[in-house]
């Protein structure tokens, strides 16, 4: 089931999207679930990790589309976001939140169909790599492919991603279990590294995403075997 979350304060515009969505399903796209909200704040209050595409009206009361998109990106770094707008000069703001694009009102069947088709394809790739991570009272969703390494120190865990460090409220062991099957290796009690992000190795260290991390002596042999096996599969 492909799930869309839409924030649109105009009843007429929301109804139009629902009718066009029904037509998209009738003409070949897979079954979909649409969750409709009247503003961005309401959408955020009900946001869950199974959302595949977020449709946001730009001009809304309470919390507008751009502010909502920035808040979503703090919860979910990879979900597809598309803006709905009467204006065509908002591209720079959209790039800031990695938006897929814009649907210009009145939204047409063709534009919605093409956007949905792209989002469905993107979601199929995204779902296999997304992991939930707890941060205080909220849950974030991180693409395993973007994680370079995980570090723990004094009972604090930090996930280092290509977008920057992400402190979390879970133990190293819990994160390691979630990343099982994603080509990660525990090179040290304090470090879990992505084999895909290893740049070089020395007798005592590994360079991961430009950071030099120590490799425990008793883990070195298994680490090299895991790295060799990973490289062999990717060649």
């Amino acid at each position: 089931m492909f799930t869309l979350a839409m924030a649109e304060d105009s009843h007429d515009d929301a109804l139009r999207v629902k009718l066009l969505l029904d037509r998209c399903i009738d003409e070949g796209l897979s079954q979909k679930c649409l969750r409709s909200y009247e503003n961005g704040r309401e959408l955020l209050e009900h946001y869950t990790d199974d959302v595949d595409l977020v449709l946001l009206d730009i001009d809304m009361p309470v919390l507008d589309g751009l502010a909502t998109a920035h808040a979503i990106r703090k919860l979910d770094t990879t979900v597809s976001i598309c803006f709905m707008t009467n204006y065509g000069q908002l591209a720079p703001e959209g790039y800031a939140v990695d938006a897929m694009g814009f649907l210009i009102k009145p939204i047409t069947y063709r534009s919605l169909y093409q956007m949905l088709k792209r989002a469905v394809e993107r979601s199929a790739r995204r779902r296999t790599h997304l992991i939930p991570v707890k941060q205080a009272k909220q849950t974030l969703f991180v693409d395993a492919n973007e994680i370079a390494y995980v570090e723990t120190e004094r009972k604090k865990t930090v996930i280092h991603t290509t977008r920057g460090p992400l402190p979390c409220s879970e133990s190293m062991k819990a994160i390691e279990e979630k990343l099982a099957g994603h080509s990660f290796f525990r090179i040290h009690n304090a470090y879990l590294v992505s084999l895909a992000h290893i740049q070089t190795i020395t007798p005592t260290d590994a360079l991961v995403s430009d950071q030099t991390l120590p490799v425990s002596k008793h883990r070195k042999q298994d680490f090299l075997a895991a790295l060799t096996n990973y490289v062999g599969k990717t060649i």
Side-chain angles (χ1 to χ4, degrees):
M1 177 71 72
F2 184 86
T3 301
L4 299 88
M6 176 175 66
E8 171 60 78
D9 64 313
S10 167
H11 173 76
D12 290 342
D13 288 341
L15 179 60
R16 181 178 181 84
V17 170
K18 292 176 183 178
L19 294 174
L20 291 175
L21 181 61
D22 289 340
R23 182 180 168 188
C24 289
I25 294 173
D26 291 340
E27 297 191 16
L29 284 181
S30 59
Q31 190 68 32
K32 293 167 184 62
C33 170
L34 176 63
R35 300 169 186 168
S36 186
Y37 307 99
E38 294 185 356
N39 58 68
R41 181 175 297 172
E42 186 179 343
L43 185 153
L44 288 170
E45 289 173 351
H46 295 87
Y47 189 83
T48 56
D49 67 334
D50 61 341
V51 173
D52 297 288
L53 173 63
V54 180
L55 297 175
L56 297 173
D57 181 27
I58 291 288
D59 188 15
M60 291 186 293
V62 184
L63 194 67
D64 65 35
L66 289 171
T68 303
H70 281 285
I72 288 173
R73 278 289 172 250
K74 294 179 180 179
L75 300 173
D76 192 334
T77 62
T78 61
V79 68
S80 297
I81 295 176
C82 177
F83 292 109
M84 301 179 291
T85 177
N86 293 308
Y87 314 102
Q89 292 82 27
L90 294 169
E93 289 87 347
Y95 294 143
V97 292
D98 191 26
M100 289 187 67
F102 297 81
L103 294 174
I104 305 300
K105 297 181 181 181
I107 296 171
T108 65
Y109 167 74
R110 180 178 177 79
S111 64
L112 180 62
Y113 185 94
Q114 291 299 324
M115 181 62 66
L116 287 173
K117 186 176 179 180
R118 288 172 53 207
V120 167
E121 294 171 352
R122 181 172 175 177
S123 180
R125 297 190 299 270
R126 168 181 180 260
R127 283 291 162 198
T128 60
H129 304 296
L130 206 62
I131 65 164
V133 175
K134 293 180 180 178
Q135 188 183 72
K137 295 183 179 180
Q138 63 182 355
T139 299
L140 313 180
F141 304 97
V142 185
D143 188 341
N145 290 333
E146 295 185 351
I147 298 175
Y149 64 97
V150 184
E151 176 183 15
T152 182
E153 182 179 3
R154 297 177 182 176
K155 297 183 179 181
K156 294 182 179 180
T157 304
V158 179
I159 299 174
H160 295 268
T161 76
T162 55
R163 299 170 184 259
L166 178 69
C168 71
S169 307
E170 299 188 59
S171 67
M172 172 72 87
K173 182 179 179 181
I175 299 299
E176 185 174 14
E177 290 175 353
K178 291 182 179 183
L179 289 171
H182 290 285
S183 299
F184 281 77
F185 191 89
R186 189 80 168 265
I187 62 171
H188 187 280
N189 284 339
Y191 296 103
L192 174 70
V193 304
S194 166
L195 298 178
H197 287 268
I198 296 216
Q199 295 165 285
T200 60
I201 55 174
T202 72
T204 58
D205 305 301
L207 185 64
V208 185
S209 192
D210 295 327
Q211 296 296 316
T212 300
L213 308 178
V215 179
S216 297
K217 290 182 179 179
H218 71 279
R219 300 173 190 260
K220 181 70 176 289
Q221 186 174 350
D222 290 339
F223 169 51
L224 292 176
L227 183 59
T228 300
N229 183 56
Y230 171 78
V231 172
K233 289 181 179 179
T234 57
I235 292 177

